[in-house]
């Protein structure tokens, strides 16, 4: 169920089947890419009751243990928010509880989200337990800022870096969700949401939810643009074409029409920079150069593209 992180899911599955489980895992990555979800699924894999031989690489998701973990009420899987439980007392309580055997499954799992928010004293208190943890305890950490986690903690964890997801992966998954939910979602609409989500699947799902609330079960690209103030790709191409042709009145008229339509001009600028970047890359590696550059109406040199990117970057 984790989308686009095969380098992590395969490694964890192999570790479980090969019985080479570490005592602590650290999931690192930007927001909304699946850090906490991966940790929860690993917790299910460790404690799934459907498996008679201990941890399984394919948790059932339907046994009591899996359901309790999914709903956040398992006695053996403690989810702790690092931001609100960052004191040394919280970690001391955790250490004391870790000594007791799990209530139901083979493992007691501590999932600490945003672990970088722990205080220095809390990290030091955690260190001893990480060095010599009881056999029945596993630690799963998730963070967006690994550089704030002390090196002494990092060296005792297996680290997994989750990537931002490509718009293509996000769009495919959104279409899959829409099909399951009996929602008619156009492919261009899914692509528009995926571009706006900026590599975060969670953001994309929230945006899809918002569009469904706005326009029901039939969603077009126009609906997505009107809900989020996105500018259609064609309009960005028209703006870039006017700039390249030095057609100032056309460019200003286009920006004015977008502003009056309530579009997000900061996002329009970002889309324009993204388009110029795509053209620059396609000129260096000419697979899509004809399609993108021809739609501008005239050719543009790499030097001019770099100058434009510098200006708009500022």
């Amino acid at each position: 169920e984790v989308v686009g992180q095969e380098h992590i899911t395969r490694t964890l599955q192999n570790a479980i089947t090969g019985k080479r489980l570490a005592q602590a895992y650290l999931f690192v990555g930007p927001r909304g890419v699946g850090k906490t979800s991966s940790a929860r699924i690993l917790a299910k894999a460790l404690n799934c009751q459907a498996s008679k031989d201990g941890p399984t690489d394919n948790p059932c998701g339907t046994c009591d243990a899996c359901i309790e973990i999914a709903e956040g009420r398992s006695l053996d899987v403690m989810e702790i928010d690092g931001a609100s439980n960052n004191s040394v007392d919280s970690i001391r309580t955790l250490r004391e509880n870790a000594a007791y055997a799990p209530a139901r499954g083979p493992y007691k799992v501590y999932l600490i989200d945003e672990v970088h928010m722990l205080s220095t004293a809390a990290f030091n208190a955690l260190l001893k337990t990480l060095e010599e943890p009881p056999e029945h305890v596993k630690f799963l950490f998730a963070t967006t800022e690994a550089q704030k986690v002390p090196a002494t903690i990092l060296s005792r964890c297996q680290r997994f870096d989750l990537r931002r997801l490509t718009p293509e992966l996000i769009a495919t998954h959104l279409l899959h969700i829409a099909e399951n939910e009996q929602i008619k979602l156009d492919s261009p609409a899914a692509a528009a949401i995926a571009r706006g989500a900026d590599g975060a699947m969670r953001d994309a799902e929230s945006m899809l939810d918002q569009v469904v609330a706005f326009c029901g079960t039939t969603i077009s690209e126009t609906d997505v643009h009107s809900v989020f103030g996105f500018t259609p790709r064609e309009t960005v191409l028209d703006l870039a074409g006017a700039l390249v042709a030095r057609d100032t009145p056309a460019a200003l008229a286009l920006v004015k029409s977008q502003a009056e339509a309530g579009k997000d001009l900061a996002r329009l600028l970002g889309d324009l920079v993204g388009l110029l970047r795509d053209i620059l890359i396609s000129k260096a590696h000419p697979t899509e150069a004809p399609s993108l550059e021809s739609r501008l109406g005239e050719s543009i040199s790499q030097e001019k593209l770099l100058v434009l990117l510098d200006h708009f970057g500022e």
Side-chain angles (χ1 to χ4, degrees):
E1 291 180 4
V2 180
V3 179
Q5 311 290 353
E6 286 78 13
H7 61 297
I8 288 168
T9 52
R10 193 182 306 121
T11 306
L12 287 172
Q13 284 178 319
N14 292 343
I16 291 167
T17 50
K19 299 196 183 329
R20 298 179 63 84
L21 287 164
Q23 291 294 350
Y25 292 93
L26 176 67
F27 296 93
V28 181
R31 72 190 195 311
V33 294
K35 299 183 297 298
T36 311
S37 299
S38 298
R40 282 192 192 123
I41 294 169
L42 178 56
K44 289 180 190 177
L46 293 171
N47 282 342
C48 181
Q49 291 176 317
S51 168
K52 304 300 177 201
D53 308 320
T56 171
D57 64 340
N58 190 20
C60 68
T62 54
C63 68
D64 289 347
C66 286
I67 291 168
E68 285 172 7
I69 292 168
E71 293 177 356
R73 54 186 178 84
S74 171
L75 294 173
D76 291 336
V77 178
M78 269 65 77
E79 279 199 36
I80 299 160
D81 172 26
S84 48
N85 296 282
N86 59 1
S87 68
V88 69
D89 292 335
S90 300
I91 299 302
R92 282 197 185 121
T93 307
L94 181 154
R95 281 174 51 190
E96 288 163 12
N97 292 340
Y100 300 112
R104 188 202 302 249
Y107 290 102
K108 200 169 226 182
V109 180
Y110 289 96
L111 199 172
I112 304 183
D113 211 354
E114 300 303 340
V115 70
H116 65 273
M117 301 289 280
L118 294 184
S119 65
T120 306
F123 273 125
N124 290 337
L126 185 61
L127 199 55
K128 187 65 180 169
T129 312
L130 271 183
E131 276 180 341
E132 299 165 9
E135 280 297 308
H136 60 265
V137 172
K138 299 289 181 197
F139 288 99
L140 309 179
F141 304 133
T143 180
T144 50
E145 300 184 50
Q147 75 278 4
K148 291 185 179 176
V149 179
T152 47
I153 299 286
L154 290 173
S155 65
R156 288 165 175 79
C157 300
Q158 274 196 17
R159 174 172 169 163
F160 291 101
D161 286 87
L162 285 82
R163 305 167 180 149
R164 278 186 189 280
L165 302 176
T166 63
E168 293 76 21
L169 265 176
I170 293 176
T172 304
H173 192 62
L174 289 177
L175 289 167
H176 170 69
I177 291 171
E179 188 181 335
N180 287 348
E181 299 288 334
Q182 277 83 52
I183 296 165
K184 287 184 181 172
L185 178 68
D186 289 355
S187 293
I193 293 174
R195 282 199 301 275
D198 195 24
M201 182 62 78
R202 186 176 63 218
D203 290 7
E205 290 173 357
S206 299
M207 289 164 74
L208 176 61
D209 219 18
Q210 195 173 333
V211 181
V212 170
F214 172 72
C215 58
T217 56
T218 304
I219 299 164
S220 68
E221 187 179 16
T222 311
D223 295 326
V224 175
H225 290 153
S226 59
V227 171
F228 298 109
F230 294 166
T231 302
R233 181 81 159 173
E234 293 302 322
T235 308
V236 182
L237 273 163
D238 291 344
L239 178 57
L243 289 167
V244 173
R246 296 171 182 251
D247 187 349
T248 309
L252 288 174
L254 214 150
V255 173
K256 180 173 182 257
S257 71
Q258 292 301 299
E260 288 176 349
K263 304 293 186 184
D264 182 350
L265 294 186
R267 185 177 283 279
L268 172 60
L269 181 61
D271 289 344
L272 182 60
V273 170
L275 175 69
L276 294 172
R277 172 191 167 280
D278 290 346
I279 295 170
L280 182 65
I281 289 171
S282 64
K283 284 180 83 73
H285 188 274
T287 46
E288 352 166 14
S291 61
L292 272 176
E293 202 171 9
S294 64
R295 288 163 74 182
L296 284 183
E298 60 183 274
S299 177
I300 179 169
S301 68
Q302 289 194 23
E303 291 73 20
K304 179 69 175 171
L305 281 166
L306 288 166
V307 169
L308 285 170
L309 283 166
D310 278 345
H311 280 312
F312 290 126
E314 287 171 17

